[in-house]
Amino acid sequence: QVQLVQSGAEVKKPGASVKVSCKASGYTFINYYMHWVRQAPGQGLEWMGIINPSGGSTTYAQKFQGRLTLSRVPSTSTVYMELSGLRSEDTAVYYCARDIQVVPAVGCPDYWGQGTLVTVSS
Amino acid sequence: EIVMTQTPLSLSVTPGQPASISCKSSQSLLHSDGKSYLYWYLQKPGQSPQLLIYEVSNRFSGVPDRFSGSGSGTDFTLKISRVEAEDVGLYYCMQSIQLPRGFGGGTKVEIK
C-alpha cells in the first residue's frame, strides 16, 4: 500500500531554514510527481510546489519563489522540502502528497503524508 | 492563477439529510480532451486530507457512494446524499487544469 512518512516536528528561529523529508513506499517512486501543501493553524490548504521524482524538475507557487527548494533522492525514495528565511507566518503543518497521475501527466494528490509541524518562534 | 471559491463557508446538517457544497473557478477547468479537472478532499479533524472525488465525478478508492460530484467548466458541486457523523470536517476543492494548483477556501461540515 502507498505510504508517505514524513520527518518529525521542528522548531526554528526567524530567519532560519527548515528541511522536511518525505519517504515513499508501496509504489514506483519515480513514476509519480510529489506535491507539497501547507496548512497554517486554523487556516485552509495552501499549495506550495511540485517535483518530478524522475528528473527532478520543479514548479513552485509564486509566493514561495526564491525561498522554497524541493529535491529528491531516488535511491531512497525520499523527497525533501526546504524553506528558507523563515518567519512566524510560516508556522504550519507541511504535507507531502503523491500525485494521482503517472508521469508525465500531472493531476492532484491522492495519498498524503501524516504532516510535519514547523513552528517558527524566537 | 486560477482562484477557487467555495460556498457555503459552513454547513450544519442533521444525520441522514443531504448536503451540498459549491465550488466555482475563476477560469474554465474544461480541457481540450473534454474533461474538467476538479478534485474534492475531506480533512477530518486532526487528520491529513483525503481524496474523495477526482476529475469532477469519479469516487476514489474506498469512498462511499453517498458522495457524488458533478459540474463542468467553472461550476462544480459535491453532494452527500445522507450525511453521517463520520463525514464531519473540512471539504476542499482543487483544480488540476494548470499550475500552480490551488484549493478553495474550504467548507466546514458539522452535525446538528
Side-chain angles (χ1 to χ4, degrees):
Chain A
Q1 72 284 21
V2 176
Q3 279 196 307
L4 302 174
V5 179
Q6 299 182 221
S7 49
E10 303 263 11
V11 179
K12 296 292 182 181
K13 293 196 182 303
S17 297
V18 68
K19 193 169 186 177
V20 177
S21 68
C22 170
K23 184 171 176 60
S25 62
Y27 69 97
T28 302
F29 176 74
I30 60 171
N31 284 357
Y32 297 84
Y33 279 83
M34 193 75 77
H35 301 256
W36 285 86
V37 174
R38 77 176 185 180
Q39 185 172 38
Q43 303 298 309
L45 301 173
E46 181 175 31
W47 187 84
M48 300 178 68
I50 193 169
I51 183 167
N52 181 339
S54 177
S57 61
T58 55
T59 300
Y60 303 133
Q62 179 71 26
K63 176 177 181 176
F64 300 104
Q65 291 276 1
R67 288 207 300 143
L68 177 63
T69 303
L70 301 182
S71 59
R72 92 284 184 232
V73 178
S75 62
T76 62
S77 298
T78 304
V79 175
Y80 297 91
M81 186 283 299
E82 184 170 21
L83 190 62
S84 62
L86 291 170
R87 31 208 192 230
S88 58
E89 310 89 87
D90 294 318
T91 294
V93 175
Y94 290 76
Y95 295 99
C96 61
R98 192 194 79 159
D99 194 83
I100 195 171
Q101 302 273 16
V102 175
V103 169
V106 185
C108 283
D110 54 3
Y111 293 95
W112 295 65
Q114 85 274 22
T116 297
L117 175 61
V118 174
T119 303
V120 183
S121 174
S122 54
Chain B
E1 182 174 329
I2 297 177
V3 176
M4 308 298 291
T5 303
Q6 285 180 236
T7 54
L9 288 179
S10 65
L11 209 46
S12 184
V13 188
T14 300
Q17 292 300 302
S20 180
I21 300 170
S22 171
C23 176
K24 296 183 188 296
S25 56
S26 61
Q27 300 175 36
S28 177
L29 304 186
L30 182 61
H31 192 270
S32 56
D33 62 10
K35 294 181 184 178
S36 288
Y37 286 87
L38 188 283
Y39 289 60
W40 288 99
Y41 297 87
L42 165 59
Q43 187 177 30
K44 297 183 179 181
Q47 296 186 18
S48 301
Q50 58 189 79
L51 177 62
L52 293 175
I53 302 285
Y54 64 97
E55 294 173 9
V56 179
S57 60
N58 299 287
R59 277 187 300 277
F60 190 56
S61 175
V63 175
D65 61 8
R66 64 179 180 274
F67 290 94
S68 64
S70 63
S72 180
T74 61
D75 292 342
F76 303 90
T77 303
L78 175 71
K79 291 184 179 176
I80 312 173
S81 59
R82 295 173 304 279
V83 172
E84 297 187 5
E86 65 180 22
D87 300 335
V88 298
L90 283 159
Y91 289 77
Y92 296 93
C93 59
M94 184 181 192
Q95 62 84 13
S96 67
I97 194 75
Q98 72 176 46
L99 290 172
R101 296 290 186 257
F103 292 94
T107 296
K108 184 175 184 179
V109 171
E110 57 183 18
I111 298 295
K112 279 184 183 174

